[in-house]
Amino acid sequence: MKVEDGRRAAVRLATRAHEVGYASGRTIWREVLQRVSGGRLGKRPGWPTVPRLNAPWQDTVSAERTGWRQRAANLNGEYAFAVDYLICRRCKLGWVEQPFTLPQYQRCGLASAGLAALRAGHPGLAWHTLGGHFRDSQAFWKTVATDVPGGYRQRQLCPHHDVS
């Protein structure tokens, strides 16, 4: 695929951010065992297996962060964009971490569309990140934070999700 064709496909994919396939990744018996044991038992050994769904966008477990989800855009068999996220309905807070767009698809609207779809799917939350923003990403965060409650400013996890 030519670079320009790929970029056009990425722009079209951004317009389909609401077409999301979901895989919960939950196993009830593990959750019960973890809750009953105070988190000592029922932990998943190794990294979770993240399924590839037949959907333009997918929402699955995060491969890197226990208890987090990942929203990703599928383009030609690879993740053109992905971001990890966590929500707390009790505190009305959401966090996103490590948004990444493949270099050839940057500035095609995938990150903006993916983050907007997340916010639309979880209305009423203030959105934050855990870490500081690198200097070269500050323009990105400023752009996507426009009119976003919380503004994707740095904030630690709430007590409901704090694992420290």
Side-chain angles (χ1 to χ4, degrees), residues 101-163:
T101 304
L102 287 174
Q104 64 266 35
Y105 304 126
Q106 291 176 354
R107 294 181 181 40
C108 291
L110 292 171
S112 294
L115 293 171
L118 264 179
R119 293 190 311 270
H122 303 284
L125 301 181
W127 289 90
H128 300 277
T129 64
L130 289 178
H133 302 150
F134 293 118
R135 182 177 300 252
D136 62 345
S137 69
Q138 288 176 350
F140 164 78
W141 286 111
K142 184 178 180 182
T143 300
V144 297
T146 303
D147 298 326
V148 174
Y152 294 116
R153 287 184 301 277
Q154 185 175 358
R155 181 188 175 116
Q156 292 300 313
L157 292 177
C158 68
H160 305 110
H161 293 287
D162 192 5
V163 292

Side-chain angles (χ1 to χ4, degrees), residues 4-147:
E4 197 53 42
D5 290 342
R7 291 187 61 78
R8 278 194 290 273
V11 169
R12 282 192 305 276
L13 182 58
T15 67
R16 301 176 68 189
H18 61 283
E19 297 177 37
V20 182
Y22 290 89
S24 77
R26 294 178 65 186
T27 50
I28 300 302
W29 69 269
R30 276 189 201 277
E31 292 176 21
V32 169
L33 192 55
Q34 282 184 321
R35 184 166 292 178
V36 169
S37 71
R40 293 184 309 279
L41 302 173
K43 292 183 180 176
R44 184 182 307 272
W47 297 104
T49 302
V50 178
R52 292 273 185 172
L53 303 179
N54 188 21
W57 290 76
Q58 69 178 49
D59 194 295
T60 60
V61 295
S62 168
E64 295 183 20
R65 292 175 178 83
T66 303
W68 288 61
R69 307 275 307 158
Q70 180 186 69
R71 181 66 59 99
N74 297 313
L75 186 60
N76 301 319
E78 61 187 349
Y79 293 144
F81 166 77
V83 65
D84 286 349
Y85 75 96
L86 180 71
I87 60 169
C88 181
R89 294 189 196 287
R90 284 187 261 179
C91 295
K92 296 185 176 164
L93 296 170
W95 292 266
V96 294
E97 275 297 301
Q98 204 172 349
F100 176 77
T101 304
L102 287 174
Q104 64 266 35
Y105 304 126
Q106 291 176 354
R107 294 181 181 40
C108 291
L110 292 171
S112 294
L115 293 171
L118 264 179
R119 293 190 311 270
H122 303 284
L125 301 181
W127 289 90
H128 300 277
T129 64
L130 289 178
H133 302 150
F134 293 118
R135 182 177 300 252
D136 62 345
S137 69
Q138 288 176 350
F140 164 78
W141 286 111
K142 184 178 180 182
T143 300
V144 297
T146 303
D147 298 326

